[in-house]
Amino acid sequence: MERRALLGLALVATAAASTPARASSSGGAAPSADTYFRLPVVTGSILRPGGRRGVLSVEVGVDVPDAALRTRAQQSAPRLRAAYNTAVQRFATGLRPGAAPNIDQLAADLQAATNTTLGRAGARVLLGTVMAL
């Protein structure tokens, strides 16, 4: 197992175990190991200062509390990856050379791709590391 995946799972499990009181008071639930699944890193090509090419890499996970929708999401993982690849490449194409990526916009684009692919809302996109190299 990749070290990043193991670390991510450990963080999710720790957060789920330590935040039930805060989650119940705020109305939202923290992701748990049962409702969360991770997808492979998504990449897009960017233009760096000086005209050279670079890579935008995004770690993506999906938290789906609803069991029926989670099953659908896991079965639709290839379609989700394809939608995420398209969304990240579109985002990377619009990124100015040398500019920092707007993570809020990227998250909104990925959430819209998730809702469209699954056919309804109910799944939350969780971003890990976003790196522009």
Side-chain angles (χ1 to χ4, degrees):
M1 180 179 266
E2 289 184 17
R3 206 169 27 182
R4 286 184 192 167
L6 185 60
L7 180 62
L9 250 163
L11 289 174
V12 169
T14 303
S18 66
T19 59
R22 282 188 290 158
S24 62
S25 64
S26 66
S32 71
D34 297 333
T35 63
Y36 172 82
F37 67 96
R38 183 175 175 265
L39 294 167
V41 175
V42 180
T43 60
S45 62
I46 60 173
L47 194 59
R48 296 180 59 193
R52 294 178 298 161
R53 290 284 180 189
V55 175
L56 176 70
S57 92
V58 182
E59 291 180 350
V60 182
V62 182
D63 180 42
V64 191
D66 181 23
L69 186 60
R70 183 173 46 255
T71 302
R72 182 178 178 147
Q74 289 172 337
Q75 291 172 346
S76 300
R79 292 182 63 216
L80 282 171
R81 282 195 312 264
Y84 292 164
N85 281 330
T86 302
V88 168
Q89 187 57 52
R90 282 186 186 153
F91 179 81
T93 302
L95 194 61
R96 289 184 173 164
N102 182 351
I103 305 302
D104 293 331
Q105 181 62 44
L106 178 61
D109 292 348
L110 292 173
Q111 186 64 54
T114 302
N115 294 344
T116 301
T117 302
L118 296 180
R120 69 180 175 105
R124 273 191 321 172
V125 172
L126 303 174
L127 296 181
T129 304
V130 178
M131 227 180 337
L133 302 172

